[in-house]
Coordinates of all heavy atoms in Angstrom, one line a residue:
G826 N -68.1 1.1 0.0 CA -68.2 -0.4 -0.3 C -69.4 -0.8 -1.1 O -69.5 -2.0 -1.4
R827 N -70.2 0.2 -1.6 CA -71.3 -0.2 -2.4 C -71.1 0.2 -3.9 O -71.6 -0.6 -4.7 CB -72.6 0.6 -1.9 CG -73.8 0.3 -2.7 CD -75.0 1.1 -2.2 NE -75.3 0.9 -0.8 CZ -76.2 1.6 -0.1 NH1 -76.9 2.6 -0.7 NH2 -76.4 1.3 1.2
F828 N -70.4 1.2 -4.2 CA -70.2 1.7 -5.5 C -68.8 1.6 -6.0 O -67.9 1.7 -5.2 CB -70.7 3.1 -5.6 CG -72.2 3.4 -5.2 CD1 -72.5 3.8 -4.0 CD2 -73.2 3.1 -6.1 CE1 -73.8 4.0 -3.5 CE2 -74.5 3.3 -5.7 CZ -74.8 3.8 -4.4
A829 N -68.6 1.5 -7.3 CA -67.3 1.6 -8.0 C -66.3 0.7 -7.4 O -65.2 1.2 -6.9 CB -66.9 3.0 -8.1
P830 N -66.5 -0.6 -7.4 CA -65.5 -1.5 -6.7 C -64.1 -1.6 -7.3 O -63.2 -2.0 -6.6 CB -66.2 -2.9 -6.7 CG -67.2 -2.8 -7.9 CD -67.6 -1.4 -8.0
Q831 N -64.0 -1.2 -8.6 CA -62.7 -1.3 -9.3 C -61.9 -0.1 -9.2 O -60.7 0.0 -9.6 CB -62.8 -1.8 -10.7 CG -63.4 -3.2 -10.9 CD -63.2 -3.7 -12.3 OE1 -62.1 -4.2 -12.7 NE2 -64.3 -3.7 -13.0
S832 N -62.5 1.0 -8.7 CA -61.7 2.2 -8.5 C -60.8 2.0 -7.3 O -61.0 1.1 -6.5 CB -62.7 3.4 -8.2 OG -63.4 3.2 -7.0
G833 N -59.8 2.9 -7.1 CA -58.9 2.8 -6.0 C -59.7 3.0 -4.7 O -59.4 2.3 -3.7
G834 N -60.6 4.0 -4.6 CA -61.4 4.3 -3.5 C -62.6 5.0 -3.9 O -62.6 5.8 -4.8
A835 N -63.8 4.7 -3.3 CA -65.0 5.4 -3.7 C -65.9 5.6 -2.5 O -66.0 4.8 -1.6 CB -65.8 4.5 -4.7
V836 N -66.6 6.7 -2.5 CA -67.5 7.1 -1.5 C -68.7 7.8 -2.1 O -68.6 8.6 -3.0 CB -66.9 7.9 -0.4 CG1 -66.3 9.2 -0.9 CG2 -67.8 8.2 0.8
L837 N -69.9 7.5 -1.6 CA -71.1 8.3 -2.0 C -71.4 9.2 -0.8 O -71.6 8.7 0.3 CB -72.3 7.4 -2.2 CG -73.6 8.1 -2.6 CD1 -73.4 8.6 -4.1 CD2 -74.8 7.2 -2.5
I838 N -71.3 10.5 -1.0 CA -71.5 11.5 0.1 C -72.8 12.2 -0.2 O -73.0 12.7 -1.3 CB -70.3 12.4 0.2 CG1 -70.5 13.4 1.3 CG2 -70.0 13.1 -1.1 CD1 -69.2 14.2 1.7
E839 N -73.7 12.2 0.8 CA -75.0 12.7 0.6 C -75.4 13.7 1.7 O -74.9 13.6 2.9 CB -76.0 11.6 0.7 CG -75.9 10.5 -0.3 CD -76.8 9.3 -0.1 OE1 -77.9 9.4 -0.5 OE2 -76.4 8.4 0.6
S840 N -76.2 14.7 1.4 CA -76.8 15.6 2.3 C -78.2 16.0 1.7 O -78.2 16.4 0.6 CB -76.0 16.8 2.6 OG -76.6 17.6 3.6
G841 N -79.3 15.8 2.5 CA -80.6 16.0 1.9 C -80.8 15.0 0.8 O -80.5 13.8 1.0
E842 N -81.2 15.5 -0.4 CA -81.4 14.6 -1.5 C -80.3 14.8 -2.5 O -80.4 14.4 -3.7 CB -82.8 14.8 -2.1 CG -83.9 14.3 -1.2 CD -85.2 14.4 -1.9 OE1 -85.3 15.0 -3.0 OE2 -86.2 13.9 -1.4
T843 N -79.2 15.5 -2.1 CA -78.1 15.6 -3.0 C -77.1 14.5 -2.7 O -76.7 14.3 -1.6 CB -77.4 17.0 -2.8 OG1 -78.3 18.0 -3.2 CG2 -76.1 17.2 -3.6
A844 N -76.6 13.8 -3.8 CA -75.7 12.7 -3.6 C -74.6 12.8 -4.7 O -74.9 13.0 -5.9 CB -76.4 11.4 -3.8
V845 N -73.3 12.8 -4.2 CA -72.2 12.9 -5.1 C -71.3 11.6 -4.9 O -70.9 11.3 -3.8 CB -71.3 14.1 -4.8 CG1 -70.2 14.3 -5.8 CG2 -72.2 15.4 -4.8
L846 N -71.0 10.9 -6.0 CA -70.1 9.8 -6.0 C -68.7 10.3 -6.3 O -68.5 10.9 -7.4 CB -70.5 8.7 -7.0 CG -69.6 7.5 -7.1 CD1 -69.6 6.7 -5.9 CD2 -70.0 6.7 -8.3
V847 N -67.8 10.1 -5.4 CA -66.4 10.5 -5.6 C -65.5 9.3 -5.6 O -65.5 8.5 -4.7 CB -66.0 11.5 -4.5 CG1 -64.6 12.2 -4.9 CG2 -67.0 12.6 -4.3
T848 N -64.6 9.2 -6.6 CA -63.7 8.1 -6.7 C -62.3 8.7 -6.9 O -62.1 9.8 -7.4 CB -64.0 7.2 -7.9 OG1 -63.8 8.0 -9.1 CG2 -65.4 6.7 -7.9
A849 N -61.3 7.9 -6.4 CA -59.9 8.3 -6.6 C -59.1 7.0 -7.0 O -59.3 5.9 -6.5 CB -59.3 8.8 -5.3
T850 N -58.3 7.2 -8.1 CA -57.6 6.1 -8.6 C -56.2 6.5 -9.0 O -55.9 7.6 -9.4 CB -58.3 5.6 -9.9 OG1 -59.7 5.3 -9.7 CG2 -57.6 4.3 -10.5

């Protein structure tokens, strides 16, 4: 709910200081 509001679905997944933004449209 924080990133990429116009994509179909978006999640920022993090572990340690590694962060990956994944979107599906």
Side-chain angles (χ1 to χ4, degrees):
R827 181 183 299 173
F828 301 98
Q831 293 194 79
S832 65
V836 58
L837 184 73
I838 182 166
E839 302 172 85
S840 183
E842 293 185 349
T843 295
V845 184
L846 177 65
V847 189
T848 65
T850 307

